[in-house]
Amino acid sequence: MYCRRENICWNCWSYKKECYRNSVLFRHCSLSITMATLFPKNAVEKPEPLQAEVKGTIPSWLQGTLLRNGPGIFSVGDTSYNHWFDGMAIMHSFVFKNGEVIHRSRFLRSDTYKANMAANRIVVSEMGTMAYPDPSKITFLNHTMPDFTDNGASNFIKYGNEYYATSETNYLRKIDPVTLETQDKVDYKKYLPVNLATSHPHYDKEGNTYNIGTSIAEKGKTKYILFKVPAVSEKDKGKNVPALKNVEIICTVPSHYLLTPCYYHSFGITDNYFIFIEQPYKLDILKTATAYMRGVNWASCMKFYPQENTLIHLINRRTGKEVETKYYTGAMVVYHHVNAFEDNGHVIVDVIAYDDTRLYDMFYLKEDVPGKHHYEIVWVLQGIACGENLVKLKYTTASAVKEKEGKIMCQVEVLSEDVELPRINYDFNGKKHRFVYVNCAEEGQSKQVTFPIGKFDTETKEMVHWSEDNCQPSEPVFIPRANGESEDDGVVLTSVINFNPGQCSFILVLDGRTFKELARAYVTTELLKDMHGFFIPQGNQ
């Protein structure tokens, strides 16, 4: 593919990850995993608070609640979900107080949950599972635009002083972060015209939340809407005012294609910019509208176009306008942004990117499809003379050379392999960071796949691990120590599934600097693989 936009030309690429003015550059890695490690089975909730058995010493300063969310019910009656992401949500809380840990878990009582349980079968469709409540009454008209699920099994979002269980549809479920009880059902569309929104917003120190959603064919246009949910104002304190009532639209970005908007799971933010990656992984709206009639799931309506390029939008936070220069790179699929920051005229966008869609495919419960991904760092730089390397930062070996007609050819720097679910010290969000905490996959001498978590140093390119036989840790969440002396001064929390016979699963506490175990707290209920976590410091509930 060859294209021109404001005198900028770009090329397709594969592993070289070539990119363009004002230039983007990548470092990458790969991952393989099988569904055999996930053991999808129905969870059992334990809504009453239960004290965990602590081994070791939890730092006295660690006071607060770790919430975790993920799929927990995979079969109802004689029906079962096709994809792990589709499972009905179970929420966990781990309360850290005075060196002790209290655990509880509860299923999200979404409308999806209630309908499925009442029918004793799956009657609400999810992305990878099309449900047919009454096949004799299928019509075209009542399924042309689907009413999406409110099964928020991906993450938690804080808007104002409210906490929500969320996936990526237009529905949120407000929850009580202390009891995990399900509260109001909230529809984004009541407050702004978005049909989909990410489950990975950004937060600033003032309490504002930023997110992005897709508006499908609204007034004949499909666009991406970047919005802000302000912190609770003085006039609204103590009142029952929905946080989204005060939502502000920052900007809209037109989709390149009216009926095939791109899929995205997260976005980036720096001091001065928002970064939105419009990738050639697209949702076909016409196919989605007819999926029910055709007997296929909505995931089948998504397609990756490896022959197309990826457009990187840079949006000024203060003006809400896109910068005039357009940034391109080759075809890729990005789920998780790690971080983004500015350095000496460069904008660095740190992402995990794949060269195909196998990350989603490998989580089908009835298939075993390996996946591969890249840990990439994207550098967006200022233009320069032809033939000269644009990269002026000394801490990378990557290059970006401007060629004729404004093309920038970038060479990658390989950082690491086999990582996902990245987290950083969020105090450094939008700032230059050094450490990334990740899930890893390793293949030992026995050819058995183990799942350590790791601390990756972006300066030295070194990784240190924690792992234990027959144990599978979740996404690692870094909690900084107040007034810490360094970026990694804090602890890392991860819930660990323990497959050893007769042993309980546990919440693990690691020293953020040494990555050595400080403590673990055994819980008296079985843990399943989950998705994402959210830490609430004591006093912020």
Side-chain angles (χ1 to χ4, degrees), residues 428-448:
F428 286 76
N429 189 50
K431 311 289 185 183
K432 185 177 180 181
H433 70 284
R434 178 174 177 179
F435 302 108
V436 184
Y437 301 90
V438 293
N439 277 100
C440 309
E442 288 188 344
E443 188 174 16
Q445 294 181 350
S446 64
K447 301 299 182 182
Q448 296 296 315

Side-chain angles (χ1 to χ4, degrees), residues 496-498 500 502-506 522-525:
V496 180
I497 305 171
N498 193 345
N500 289 294
Q503 296 185 21
C504 295
S505 295
F506 54 94
Y522 290 98
V523 297
T524 56
T525 187

Side-chain angles (χ1 to χ4, degrees), residues 33-40 363 449-451 472 497 499 529:
I33 187 176
T34 66
M35 277 305 300
T37 63
L38 302 180
F39 298 101
F363 284 97
V449 176
T450 60
F451 290 87
Q472 184 179 1
I497 305 171
F499 298 117
K529 181 175 176 63

Side-chain angles (χ1 to χ4, degrees), residues 246-453:
N246 298 315
V247 67
E248 303 169 9
I249 294 178
I250 297 173
C251 77
T252 60
V253 178
S255 171
H256 260 42
Y257 303 96
L258 174 64
L259 296 177
T260 53
C262 83
Y263 172 78
Y264 53 94
H265 187 68
S266 57
F267 65 105
I269 188 172
T270 69
D271 285 342
N272 296 298
Y273 300 102
F274 297 105
I275 300 97
F276 170 57
I277 298 178
E278 189 174 8
Q279 56 198 6
Y281 186 26
K282 304 174 186 177
L283 177 65
D284 189 310
I285 301 305
L286 294 180
K287 289 183 178 180
T288 302
T290 60
Y292 195 84
M293 296 295 296
R294 294 184 292 115
V296 299
N297 61 34
W298 291 320
S300 69
C301 305
M302 297 177 66
K303 184 178 179 181
F304 179 53
Y305 296 83
Q307 75 279 9
E308 295 186 10
N309 288 287
T310 299
L311 174 58
I312 301 172
H313 299 274
L314 208 61
I315 300 157
N316 188 299
R317 288 184 60 179
R318 288 162 180 79
T319 66
K321 296 181 179 180
E322 271 195 85
V323 300
E324 292 184 1
T325 304
K326 301 300 179 184
Y327 306 94
Y328 299 91
T329 189
M332 63 181 182
V333 177
V334 173
Y335 297 97
H336 292 118
H337 281 244
V338 181
N339 194 22
F341 58 92
E342 301 167 40
D343 186 7
N344 193 27
H346 304 62
V347 175
I348 299 93
V349 186
D350 186 348
V351 302
I352 308 258
Y354 296 74
D355 55 9
D356 53 40
T357 62
R358 280 178 284 175
L359 178 66
Y360 183 86
D361 295 339
M362 72 187 184
F363 284 97
Y364 274 104
L365 302 177
K366 298 177 182 179
E367 296 182 48
D368 185 10
V369 182
K372 180 172 65 176
H373 78 263
H374 311 290
Y375 174 32
E376 305 186 344
I377 300 222
V378 186
W379 313 83
V380 184
L381 307 120
Q382 300 302 314
I384 205 164
C386 290
E388 186 175 349
N389 182 10
L390 294 168
V391 181
K392 302 303 180 183
L393 302 174
K394 295 181 179 180
Y395 49 81
T396 178
T397 61
S399 64
V401 178
K402 183 176 180 180
E403 298 188 343
K404 292 181 179 180
E405 300 177 327
K407 289 195 295 186
I408 306 297
M409 305 299 291
C410 301
Q411 300 297 325
V412 306
E413 175 187 0
V414 178
L415 283 181
S416 180
E417 294 185 347
D418 305 317
V419 298
E420 245 299 351
L421 298 175
R423 297 292 291 259
I424 63 168
N425 179 342
Y426 202 75
D427 288 346
F428 286 76
N429 189 50
K431 311 289 185 183
K432 185 177 180 181
H433 70 284
R434 178 174 177 179
F435 302 108
V436 184
Y437 301 90
V438 293
N439 277 100
C440 309
E442 288 188 344
E443 188 174 16
Q445 294 181 350
S446 64
K447 301 299 182 182
Q448 296 296 315
V449 176
T450 60
F451 290 87
I453 52 174

